[in-house]
Amino acid sequence: MTAPAWTWTYEGYDAGAERLREALCTLGNGRFATRGAAPETRCGPAHYPGTYAAGVYNRLTSTVAGRPVENEDLVNLPDWLPLSYRIRPAGDSAPGPWLFPDHPQLTGHRRTLDLRRGTLTRWSSYEDGAGRRLTVTERRLVHMAEPDLAVQRTVFTAEGWSGEVEVAAGLDGDVRNTGVARYQELDGVHLTGWETGAGDDGVVWLSCRTRTSGTGIALAARTRAAPRGGTARTDLTARRAWRVLTVPLAPGTPATVDKTVALHTSSDRARAAPLPAALEAVRRAPAVPRLLASHHRAWQHLWRQVRLDVPGEAGRILRLHLFHLLQTVSPHTARLDVGVPARGLHGEAYRGHVFWDELFVLPFLNLHLPEVSRALLAYRHRRLPAARQAAREAGRAGAMYPWQSGSDGREETQQMHLNPRSGHWLPDHSRLQHHVGSAVAYNIWQYWQASGDTGFLHTRGAEMLLEIARFWASAADWDRDLGRYRIRGVVGPDEYHDAYPGAGRPGLDDNAYTNVTAAWVLARALELCRTLPEARRRPLFERLALSHDERQYWDDVAHRLHVPYHRGVISQFAGYGELAELDWAGYRARYGDIRRLDRILESEGDTVNRYQASKQADVLMLGYLFSPAELAGVFDQLGYRLDDAVWRATVDHYLHRTCHGSTLSAVVHAWVLARVRRDDAWTYCEEALTGDIADVQGGTTAEGIHLGAMAGTLDFVQRGMTGLETRDRALWLDPAPIPQLSKFGVRFRYRRHRDIDLRIRADRVRLTVPDSEHAAVRARLRGRPFTVAPGTTRELDLPET
């Protein structure tokens, strides 16, 4: 793989790496995305074509281990990529074989992802035994300006012969969800009701619907060839629609086949029925050169809004991460009712569900595309009734957001999961990760701080934040012996620990991350109650039946939640310090990669619940969410002292007891270590950067990129190394550049100011505010206040810490 500044190129064809490359070469526009599969091939061991539309789910019931299991999945939609070809040299009575990437006649293959222009180009060269050569260059895009459209332009060039190329370009509805091996026992047939057809103008179409959710789906394709002079026909089957063209070829003279596709679903807003809308869109679509030009302009405009200047290889990888983030949540997302799928629109892992990964995504978007952040938070607000119902069913008040969310906000976490190492189906207790509610509240608060959007905070934001606070208050039980409140029966971010050893019920008590973030949520909710304008406060309190006594109770819980400690460090949960120590060296010697330690121990008849061993950052997540001063303030609120010595000891303790079974873990560790052990931060930063391109989790990227980790690396530069906070109507800066990334720049939006430019150069900070009619930007550099008037620049020396 080669990686110039704005392109990623894979040389040669490697069947074993195809699915990984398909995921990393996905193209999308926030509305739908298509994996970078070869159009000449169908689904098989090496290839997995997949197209996914944001928010299009379907629910099926399967039988697993003798019991019914219900799952909702992001649906693999009909494949619009198919385009096969074969040649017939002049004088031959019949065409040759259909050609494809691993055909014996293949002599060269290259795939290039152009990040700047949002296109994927595939170049293939074939040569037969008679010395006749055919080169094929396919360029494709999923249009960023016209979010209903996708394009393939395929150019054929004959060398040393003349004749014709036969091209079969079509739409394939015979697809299913089979992209994740461990889901193979589940029903993956989500589509039904296929219909195909063609118009007199050669446009072919395919329509179908999802089996239970009933979402209508329609695709229409227009295929044109140049030069003209060949033949054309339409082939239709029950699930496929094809346009078959013969195109004359002369030596050295390129022939072009352009395929333009429109995709519509019944969930699209302000649209006609899917099929008429798709047909209209494809028929009115401009010629491909104009579509390419408008697509390139849209990407150019988008890149200007999200500028991130980091030199070297790290900058190239960050650009790739930003590219995939923008393809999953683009400005088009602001018009959709969707959340942040943890694996992007790039595959079927996690069934396309929405977890807490938005905690790593929205902080970046807040400073570039706040309207997208607002829409993603609105997704949570529309599912507030479901969260309230879940809380009631659990015997709690307020709103309990699900660990995994999909179409309607109910809990989508599976009841069982497969350990592929042992072949056992095991109970899945990850739905006890109620800290997802704190993530929603955190994102509401961060969005407001960055955007100044009090219209959202005082309405939908306030309603969610107060209901999440109400849930935490109702979850807290008073312990007379401790003299503190406790939250019992939860699972923290670690996930490997879901019960005490030998316990008859799942869940842990007083997970430190859960309790501290709950206290923070309660404090923010009370702050909001005090600052809401009276015109907003009174009707909201009446609608929620929120009394003065209840708010007083919140205040008591916010100051007296229990945080466990052991041997001078913060305990991950109550009783953590009593667990056994794991033989880390022994397990690494036996297994090498022990990231999935849970699967290894279960296959041995053991469990991680017995050991001080974590999947990913748990306690240390607190250092990711909060600056050192803010975190110390939350602990002070709770009556605990958190000084540098205690925090450093806590970091060291978990640093040696975490196996990083999640791509998010390296991001968090890089962030935390940049503050307390700067020389060690790069190791984790590098792992976070290469997590997907090197597939460090062992085959998982092929099932979909890790969107939270990608966004987290961007935010690591934007906020982690700059110490950038947006609070108290000011920009707070506390840079912590690491030696390998000591020179960089970010451009962002802050409230009414666009394109603020922040540059870090080792020991200097430069902040530029573009000219406008708005007030000067208030800022603090390591506590030292200063202002920057519009149209001016301030350059300051970095004070010693």
Side-chain angles (χ1 to χ4, degrees):
M1 179 176 65
T2 59
W6 285 89
T7 60
W8 288 81
T9 299
Y10 295 97
E11 293 282 357
Y13 176 79
D14 182 352
E18 270 301 291
R19 289 199 173 197
L20 171 64
R21 295 177 179 182
E22 289 171 356
L24 291 173
C25 289
T26 294
L27 297 177
N29 57 21
R31 182 177 171 275
F32 77 96
T34 298
R35 289 166 58 88
E40 307 92 344
T41 61
R42 298 194 65 196
C43 177
H47 299 277
Y48 193 70
T51 292
Y52 310 94
V56 176
Y57 292 96
N58 186 62
R59 191 180 304 279
L60 294 175
T61 300
S62 309
T63 301
V64 175
R67 58 184 289 184
V69 175
E70 184 181 275
N71 285 293
E72 185 177 66
D73 291 78
L74 188 69
V75 177
N76 185 12
L77 302 182
D79 186 10
W80 63 269
L81 286 178
L83 192 147
S84 302
Y85 44 86
R86 56 184 178 179
I87 63 171
R88 184 166 66 181
D92 285 12
S93 60
W98 295 102
L99 300 174
F100 45 87
D102 52 354
H103 193 279
Q105 294 180 3
L106 183 75
T107 59
H109 186 74
R110 183 186 310 118
R111 183 182 327 196
T112 299
L113 183 65
D114 186 331
L115 308 179
R116 191 191 299 273
R117 295 175 177 83
T119 57
L120 176 64
T121 301
R122 297 174 59 258
W123 175 88
S124 301
S125 176
Y126 302 90
E127 188 170 336
D128 63 15
R132 292 176 295 214
R133 186 181 181 90
L134 175 72
T135 60
V136 183
T137 303
E138 179 225 354
R139 180 182 296 178
R140 77 176 69 153
L141 60 90
V142 174
H143 211 284
M144 187 56 80
E146 300 286 345
D148 310 325
L149 299 180
V151 171
Q152 281 174 299
R153 164 163 277 199
T154 309
V155 179
F156 302 91
T157 305
E159 298 179 29
W161 63 281
S162 62
E164 62 186 21
V165 59
E166 181 181 348
V167 180
L171 305 169
D172 185 1
D174 191 16
V175 299
R176 58 187 63 198
N177 281 46
T178 59
V180 179
R182 61 189 175 279
Y183 301 165
Q184 294 304 308
E185 293 186 42
L186 305 177
D187 188 351
V189 182
H190 290 280
L191 302 178
T192 189
W194 298 268
E195 294 183 15
T196 60
D200 295 338
D201 54 0
V203 170
V204 298
W205 56 266
L206 182 153
S207 68
C208 57
R209 66 181 184 278
T210 54
R211 283 172 57 188
T212 54
S213 59
T215 302
I217 302 152
L219 295 91
R222 180 187 72 196
T223 307
R224 294 173 176 170
R228 298 183 180 181
T231 63
R233 74 175 191 273
T234 298
D235 287 346
L236 301 176
T237 66
R239 301 184 185 184
R240 298 189 180 100
W242 298 88
R243 187 70 172 163
V244 183
L245 312 174
T246 59
V247 185
L249 286 177
T253 302
T256 302
V257 174
D258 286 339
K259 179 181 175 184
T260 304
V261 177
L263 186 156
H264 279 267
T265 75
S266 59
S267 61
D268 297 335
R269 295 182 178 182
R271 302 286 188 183
L275 182 55
L279 288 168
E280 179 187 359
V282 83
R283 283 174 172 144
R284 65 171 169 76
V288 167
R290 286 180 57 192
L291 286 172
L292 282 165
S294 59
H295 175 70
H296 294 166
R297 286 194 300 271
W299 268 106
Q300 185 180 35
H301 176 68
L302 198 50
W303 282 119
R304 282 199 297 266
Q305 297 181 72
V306 293
R307 184 169 174 179
L308 193 70
D309 296 327
V310 177
E313 185 66 9
R316 295 187 181 102
I317 298 172
L318 287 165
R319 207 168 286 123
L320 177 71
H321 289 182
L322 183 49
F323 179 73
H324 284 301
L325 174 64
L326 294 173
Q327 293 191 120
T328 307
V329 284
S330 79
H332 300 299
T333 307
R335 297 192 290 271
L336 304 175
D337 179 30
V338 297
V340 179
R343 303 299 282 273
L345 298 173
H346 297 62
E348 295 159 15
Y350 300 162
R351 300 179 178 85
H353 291 168
V354 177
F355 293 69
W356 71 327
D357 296 68
E358 61 197 25
L359 189 63
F360 298 83
V361 173
L362 265 64
F364 182 83
L365 294 177
N366 290 341
L367 295 169
H368 298 279
L369 300 169
E371 65 279 3
V372 177
S373 292
R374 195 179 204 266
L376 295 170
L377 290 170
Y379 164 88
R380 291 295 193 179
H381 182 262
R382 281 187 285 270
R383 284 146 187 83
L384 181 57
R388 286 172 168 144
Q389 178 64 27
R392 285 193 295 270
E393 291 175 356
R396 303 297 185 191
M400 185 176 78
Y401 277 94
W403 177 236
Q404 297 187 33
S405 180
S407 62
D408 59 12
R410 76 180 77 174
E411 178 64 78
E412 300 294 351
T413 304
Q414 61 271 24
Q415 299 281 350
M416 303 178 71
H417 68 272
L418 175 68
N419 180 357
R421 180 179 289 272
S422 67
H424 298 155
W425 284 91
L426 307 168
D428 190 322
H429 302 305
S430 57
R431 64 181 59 230
L432 297 177
Q433 292 189 73
H434 302 318
H435 62 81
V436 65
S438 294
V440 174
Y442 181 87
N443 279 327
I444 293 166
W445 198 258
Q446 290 294 322
Y447 166 71
W448 169 66
Q449 294 275 20
S451 68
D453 185 358
T454 55
F456 183 88
L457 179 68
H458 291 168
T459 54
R460 289 178 286 179
E463 189 175 12
M464 286 188 284
L465 186 56
L466 298 185
E467 287 288 68
I468 294 166
R470 175 174 268 167
F471 169 77
W472 283 130
S474 74
D477 297 325
W478 178 251
D479 187 314
R480 183 178 301 176
D481 293 335
L482 273 178
R484 285 190 171 271
Y485 291 97
R486 308 183 68 183
I487 296 177
R488 305 175 189 270
V490 301
V491 171
D494 165 29
E495 293 189 323
Y496 280 177
H497 290 93
D498 62 1
Y500 287 101
R505 64 173 182 86
L508 305 160
D509 300 336
D510 300 315
N511 173 255
Y513 175 83
T514 299
N515 285 14
V516 172
T517 56
W520 180 88
V521 170
L522 287 161
R524 297 292 73 72
L526 290 166
E527 180 180 343
L528 184 58
C529 288
R530 293 190 296 270
T531 57
L532 269 174
E534 178 63 21
R536 299 284 192 187
R537 182 190 305 118
R538 184 183 298 274
L540 180 60
F541 284 10
E542 290 177 354
R543 188 167 69 253
L544 298 182
L546 182 58
S547 68
H548 175 73
D549 288 347
E550 185 176 3
R551 297 197 302 276
Q552 281 192 317
Y553 175 65
W554 290 6
D555 187 68
D556 194 42
V557 175
H559 287 84
R560 302 172 75 180
L561 270 169
H562 179 50
V563 178
Y565 285 75
H566 70 281
R567 294 188 289 280
V569 303
I570 303 167
S571 296
Q572 186 169 302
F573 49 83
Y576 173 89
E578 300 168 14
L579 301 179
E581 291 284 5
L582 183 78
D583 180 9
W584 291 92
Y587 272 91
R588 287 193 174 99
R590 289 163 59 190
Y591 292 99
D593 184 351
I594 60 169
R595 285 184 175 87
R596 291 313 306 259
L597 184 63
D598 60 330
R599 293 175 177 175
I600 291 172
L601 289 173
E602 192 278 329
S603 70
E604 295 180 344
D606 204 347
T607 173
V608 185
N609 285 328
R610 295 181 56 236
Y611 302 98
Q612 296 183 36
S614 299
K615 175 184 180 182
Q616 63 196 79
D618 192 299
V619 173
L620 301 194
M621 270 295 301
L622 295 170
Y624 178 83
L625 293 188
F626 306 116
S627 67
E630 191 173 8
L631 183 58
V634 180
F635 272 74
D636 183 64
Q637 167 192 314
L638 288 167
Y640 297 98
R641 177 176 172 79
L642 181 64
D643 57 23
D644 286 346
V646 171
W647 181 246
R648 288 176 181 273
T650 300
V651 171
D652 286 342
H653 180 87
Y654 292 103
L655 192 63
H656 299 101
R657 292 168 175 82
T658 304
C659 62
H660 307 291
S662 165
T663 55
L664 296 173
S665 190
V667 174
V668 175
H669 279 76
W671 188 295
V672 171
L673 291 176
R675 297 283 162 185
V676 299
R677 286 176 54 172
R678 191 168 300 179
D679 291 342
D680 296 330
W682 177 247
T683 299
Y684 294 97
C685 180
E686 192 170 35
E687 179 172 326
L689 287 170
T690 59
D692 274 317
I693 62 172
D695 198 14
V696 298
Q697 294 289 334
T700 61
T701 301
E703 303 166 350
I705 54 97
H706 299 81
L707 191 69
M710 285 188 170
T713 62
L714 301 170
D715 203 34
F716 173 68
V717 174
Q718 176 176 269
R719 294 193 308 138
M721 291 200 302
T722 64
L724 174 61
E725 296 179 83
T726 55
R727 57 185 172 93
D728 301 332
R729 300 180 183 275
L731 296 176
W732 295 65
L733 300 169
D734 184 13
I738 58 180
Q740 296 84 354
L741 292 174
S742 61
K743 180 180 177 181
F744 58 91
V746 296
R747 184 174 292 177
F748 57 91
R749 289 167 63 176
Y750 172 62
R751 298 190 173 230
R752 296 184 178 184
H753 296 276
R754 292 176 178 263
D755 296 331
I756 294 177
D757 193 72
L758 173 62
R759 300 277 157 175
I760 307 292
R761 297 289 185 275
D763 58 355
R764 291 186 69 78
V765 174
R766 188 180 75 189
L767 191 66
T768 301
V769 177
D771 193 22
S772 74
E773 72 280 9
H774 303 305
V777 172
R778 296 171 54 240
R780 287 178 173 269
L781 179 59
R782 288 186 177 165
R784 186 174 71 187
F786 66 99
T787 60
V788 186
T792 68
T793 296
R794 290 290 301 272
E795 190 162 353
L796 303 169
D797 291 328
L798 193 58
E800 293 292 331
T801 54

